[in-house]
Amino acid sequence: MTDQATGAEPDMEVDIPGKPTSASRTTLSHIMTHNDTNLLGTVHGGVIMKLVDDAAGAVAGRHSGGPAVTASMDEMAFLEPVRVGDLVHVKAQVNWTGRTSMEVGVRVLAERWNESAPPTQVGSAYLVFAAVDADGKPRRVPPVLPETDRDRRRYQEAQIRRTHRLARRRAIRELREQRAAEGFED
């Protein structure tokens, strides 16, 4: 039983009021230094991925009203290199919600710290977070309420990605079961 269903019958769902997309949207900004670079002198992809996970985690926690853990990161795309001296902005929002999970979309922008040119998109990613209670068990999340046409498009695209993630997981499980039935040990 989740903390939100306390006092209700185990099979009954308690309605949770939805939250608009804007309620948890956030931007995390960070200036890149020499400590962030790889052997090529550009910023490590892992540094960017950590910033992405940090921003997405903040959004997931805000939306769900408590702890949320990263369940998956997919479609992380690096579009342009990030360099020392770049001011990186990681913009995140909840695109879609399920019963206990949320997809968070993230855009990564970079601009030179000392120039007034507009930021350039350098990356994007989609992460799935699961809301958890104090015991680490899944807990219900509020539905996300898309506010704009862009939010509604992101919601629909997130549903497509979810369908693909579930189909991929199912196909892999079935293949592994088939191989095990045929006597293959992986």
Side-chain angles (χ1 to χ4, degrees):
M1 186 180 325
T2 66
D3 55 340
Q4 294 155 332
T6 303
E9 295 294 322
D11 293 347
M12 293 177 61
E13 294 291 330
V14 175
D15 286 335
I16 301 173
K19 288 186 178 179
T21 307
S22 62
S24 59
R25 189 179 290 140
T26 193
T27 300
L28 178 134
S29 297
H30 188 79
I31 193 158
M32 298 292 108
T33 68
H34 288 287
N35 293 334
D36 302 315
T37 61
N38 58 29
L39 296 175
L40 298 175
T42 56
V43 173
H44 273 287
V47 170
I48 300 300
M49 290 173 74
K50 182 178 184 328
L51 294 173
V52 164
D53 191 45
D54 287 347
V59 166
R62 279 179 162 184
H63 183 82
S64 69
V69 296
T70 310
S72 70
M73 175 187 267
D74 55 44
E75 297 186 39
M76 179 73 211
F78 296 101
L79 306 172
E80 298 283 337
V82 177
R83 294 178 169 68
V84 169
D86 281 353
L87 180 57
V88 172
H89 308 286
V90 183
K91 297 178 175 279
Q93 76 171 46
V94 173
N95 289 336
W96 175 90
T97 53
R99 187 179 173 295
T100 62
S101 64
M102 304 156 272
E103 183 195 89
V104 178
V106 181
R107 291 181 57 223
V108 183
L109 306 161
E111 61 182 314
R112 296 305 296 169
W113 69 274
N114 59 349
E115 296 176 8
S116 61
T120 302
Q121 184 171 354
V122 296
S124 65
Y126 300 101
L127 297 87
V128 176
F129 280 79
V132 294
D133 63 17
D135 297 322
K137 304 285 187 211
R139 62 181 174 82
R140 299 255 330 266
V141 299
V144 67
L145 305 174
E147 299 172 281
T148 66
D149 287 338
R150 176 181 270 183
D151 292 342
R152 285 184 278 283
R153 175 187 53 80
R154 288 177 175 168
Y155 185 91
Q156 292 171 328
E157 290 174 357
Q159 289 178 305
I160 293 168
R161 283 187 291 275
R162 179 176 187 271
T163 299
H164 287 230
R165 278 190 292 270
L166 293 174
R168 183 178 61 234
R169 186 181 308 150
R170 185 173 40 257
I172 290 170
R173 185 178 55 245
E174 289 170 1
L175 177 62
R176 289 179 179 175
E177 289 170 358
Q178 177 186 347
R179 288 183 50 82
E182 294 172 357
F184 292 101
E185 292 185 32
D186 289 334

